[in-house]
Amino acid sequence: MFTFDSKVLYSKISPNEKLSIKALVDYFQDCSTLQSETLEKGLKFLQDNHRAWLLSSWQIDIVDMPDYNDDITIGTQVSNINGLLSNRYFAIYNRSKGGKLAVKADSVWFLLNTDTRMPMKIEPPFSDIYEICPPLEMELLPRKIRPIKNFSEASFLGVLPVNPSMIDTNGHMNNAQYIAVAEAYLPATDKDIKRIHAYYANSAVKGDELNIYSVIDNDSVKIGLLDSSEKHAPYAYVQFYY
């Protein structure tokens, strides 16, 4: 497993003095990109070859969210490359608590041809640079989140424009931003979030508008970030489990 060490600093925490969900996802993203840079197949290599790694889905299981000032280790490993998709696992270990596993996650990625804007088969030199490691033990949900079908049972929460601060180097809204936006529309509760499931369907770009809907279940809240069409085409769905 590729790892790097960090500390939960003030800018990384939520009001409850624990690592924020946005910072958590940013740590995972930084870990995977840092591994690629270490293997000399990072951002410049991808740009020179007109390629980009994009996320299809996240499942993040929170065991014990790190606290402010905790020393942590963030790790990642590729567990599968098969055709168009690749699985990558992540973990955070809390060195301030004896190296205890704090968070674990599974993610599914695809390789985009940035000229054609189409996914492409993952082949050398993109498929043979990562050591394939056993996956972490997780009870995995399906990759896709069931879309909202009956909008009479959903709550419309508002419209949010995609602004420049949400855009990354691929010209799209960054994957962590979808989760941060969805979290901001959660109803107030004293319950801790134990699992985050995100599925990315279409890339939002600057100037798009996210129409935000929610469906509340007994133990979860599903947030849909959708377009304004009558079909309610999704940019992403994010489901939070308590």
Side-chain angles (χ1 to χ4, degrees), residues 52-66:
W53 286 105
L54 297 186
L55 261 169
S56 175
S57 65
W58 276 114
Q59 180 180 322
I60 302 170
D61 290 354
I62 300 169
V63 180
D64 183 12
M65 191 71 97

Side-chain angles (χ1 to χ4, degrees), residues 46-208:
L46 289 167
Q47 292 174 336
D48 289 346
N49 286 275
H50 308 278
R51 302 291 184 265
W53 286 105
L54 297 186
L55 261 169
S56 175
S57 65
W58 276 114
Q59 180 180 322
I60 302 170
D61 290 354
I62 300 169
V63 180
D64 183 12
M65 191 71 97
D67 295 304
Y68 171 59
N69 211 36
D70 280 351
D71 295 306
I72 59 175
T73 295
I74 304 95
T76 188
Q77 60 191 28
V78 174
S79 64
N80 180 55
I81 296 177
N82 185 11
L84 293 175
L85 299 175
S86 174
N87 286 77
R88 178 185 280 276
Y89 281 78
F90 294 85
I92 291 182
Y93 299 94
N94 194 329
R95 302 197 316 278
S96 295
K97 294 184 178 179
K100 176 183 176 182
L101 177 66
V103 185
K104 55 185 176 179
D106 173 61
S107 60
V108 180
W109 300 70
F110 64 93
L111 192 62
L112 183 78
N113 183 318
T114 56
D115 291 331
T116 65
R117 312 307 298 176
M118 295 294 293
M120 58 173 290
K121 188 175 182 181
I122 305 171
E123 297 178 320
F126 304 95
S127 62
D128 58 356
I129 58 173
Y130 301 105
E131 179 184 1
I132 304 301
C133 301
L136 298 178
E137 291 187 9
M138 292 181 65
E139 182 181 349
L140 292 178
L141 300 171
R143 178 170 61 95
K144 296 183 179 181
I145 295 176
R146 187 185 301 275
I148 299 172
K149 294 293 187 182
N150 187 353
F151 280 84
S152 66
E153 298 178 357
S155 299
F156 175 65
L157 304 179
V159 178
L160 182 69
V162 176
N163 63 63
S165 68
M166 299 176 177
I167 304 300
D168 63 18
T169 57
N170 296 315
H172 301 153
M173 182 170 167
N174 185 262
N175 73 88
Q177 293 286 346
Y178 293 92
I179 296 176
V181 167
E183 183 191 12
Y185 285 87
L186 289 176
T189 180
D190 293 330
K191 297 179 181 179
D192 292 329
I193 295 170
K194 297 299 186 183
R195 172 177 286 170
I196 303 160
H197 186 198
Y199 172 67
Y200 304 95
N202 290 291
S203 297
V205 299
K206 184 178 68 174
D208 284 341

Side-chain angles (χ1 to χ4, degrees), residues 189 191 215-222 239-242:
T189 180
K191 297 179 181 179
V215 175
I216 300 176
D217 202 349
N218 291 331
D219 64 347
S220 72
V221 179
K222 180 191 299 183
Q239 193 155 3
F240 299 86
Y241 294 82
Y242 298 101

